[in-house]
Amino acid sequence: MNLRDSIRTIPDYPKAGIQFRDITTLLADARAFRQAVDELVQPFAGLKLDKVAGIEARGFILGGAVAHQLSAGFVPLRKKGKLPHRTRAVEYALEYGTDVIEMHLDAVHPGERVVLVDDLIATGGTALAAIDLLTQAGAVIVAAAFVVDLPELGGADRLREAGIEVSTLVAFEGH
Ligand code: AMP
């Protein structure tokens, strides 16, 4: 099946000009969900990985399934103030203003091999902040994997320029 057909587009959400690529329809479709997880996992089959890191919130759903499939641990990267133990934070720029993501200090140990997972890469700002957090903890970033790429926004290229291997399953034009 074509995964693209299982992703719903909501025009002008959350604001005018944005085509929101809604993966809840993919997640609700058993075959599409399984195929997406299988395709996300495929580049890493047979590699030794310690952890999958997922970005709140859709990255938790996909990253949890990928971690299970790879017999790796799962590390949640969360919005500010959500994690209960000691954390490290990284601030990153949004189109208007800034945002912060956090990780538990003891979630990743130096030298651990980690794959980053999220539903979508746009400008790459969120993923680069996540990679910064993981790198500060001493992780080795094996790759970053996304279901959706918005290539016009250049995020996947930014990650590749930073030396990160990137895999994406479906590309959509526009923002
Ligand atoms: P960015 O940091 O610009 O790469 O944005 C990626 C994050 O914003 C991901 O966590 C996405 O879930 C969300 N996002 C950005 N643009 C869209 C879009 N057009 N449709 C759905 N989610 C988006």
Side-chain angles (χ1 to χ4, degrees), residues 128-158:
L128 283 166
I131 287 161
D132 189 0
L133 268 183
L134 291 162
T135 306
Q136 284 189 52
V140 176
I141 312 296
V142 174
F146 306 87
V147 174
V148 178
D149 184 19
L150 305 183
E152 286 172 36
L153 291 171
D157 284 341
R158 281 178 75 195

Side-chain angles (χ1 to χ4, degrees), residues 8 10 13-14 18-23 55-59 79 92-94 118-128 146 148 150 153 155-156 158-159 174-175:
R8 173 166 60 191
I10 316 277
Y13 180 89
I18 304 289
Q19 303 267 81
F20 192 86
R21 307 302 178 176
D22 173 21
I23 64 148
I55 302 173
E56 185 171 359
R58 291 174 294 254
K79 310 263 162 70
Y92 61 100
L94 299 173
D118 202 3
D119 66 325
L120 179 146
I121 183 156
T123 65
T126 312
L128 283 166
F146 306 87
V148 178
L150 305 183
L153 291 171
R158 281 178 75 195
L159 263 63
H175 290 211

